Amino acid sequence: ILNRGIRVLSGEDGLNWPLLALGASGVIGVVANFAPKLMRQLCDAAAAGQMVEARRLHRIVHDLAKYAFSETNPIPAKTAVAALGKCREEFRLPLVTMTPAKKDALLNALARLHAAGASSLGEGTRYIGAFRAHGLLVPVWDLAGTGRGERLVSSPPRTGWS
């Protein structure tokens, strides 16, 4: 498929590294909602052929993915984004807040990420909107503090920014 010019994106956080190692061009993942800098570093390392670094970053992403899927998506992702101060932790039925034990585990994983100096967002990062791709709403973060959005997928520019 890759040899025929078809772009492949990983849509499963646990398979990001294996697919990137095989030539996938990017990811659309749940962890990217609350750790966009980390996910971007993983994609950049894989694209640059830095396999040891990409593998190291994938282990971190994989660990976060366990917590991100400990309850029904998007509950853990929204809980994590709320903990980072980017939204309110509010849910509409049938979604409800995370169970206390699972929420504590998720927040502890985020705290470990920050304590290790691997900020999930990065200095000056801010959410600036989203765009639709293949029916999905993809978050856009200003990772570099430039005021322009950085998508976490390596795909051709699309219209529909909001």
Side-chain angles (χ1 to χ4, degrees), residues 2 29 59 98 101 115:
L2 296 173
R59 281 194 290 275
M98 291 183 77

Side-chain angles (χ1 to χ4, degrees), residues 34-93:
F34 59 88
K37 181 181 178 187
L38 177 65
M39 194 66 74
R40 177 66 182 262
Q41 290 170 335
L42 169 61
C43 291
D44 288 348
Q50 299 168 347
M51 300 308 171
V52 172
E53 177 64 2
R55 213 171 14 251
R56 183 188 74 78
L57 293 167
H58 177 70
R59 281 194 290 275
I60 298 168
V61 169
H62 192 267
D63 185 50
L64 290 173
K66 289 187 288 187
Y67 300 106
F69 291 101
S70 63
E71 293 198 11
T72 303
N73 186 32
I75 295 169
K78 186 168 184 181
T79 300
V81 173
L84 295 168
K86 301 299 181 182
C87 71
R88 291 187 304 259
E89 189 178 347
E90 295 176 348
F91 300 94
R92 289 179 291 180
L93 292 174

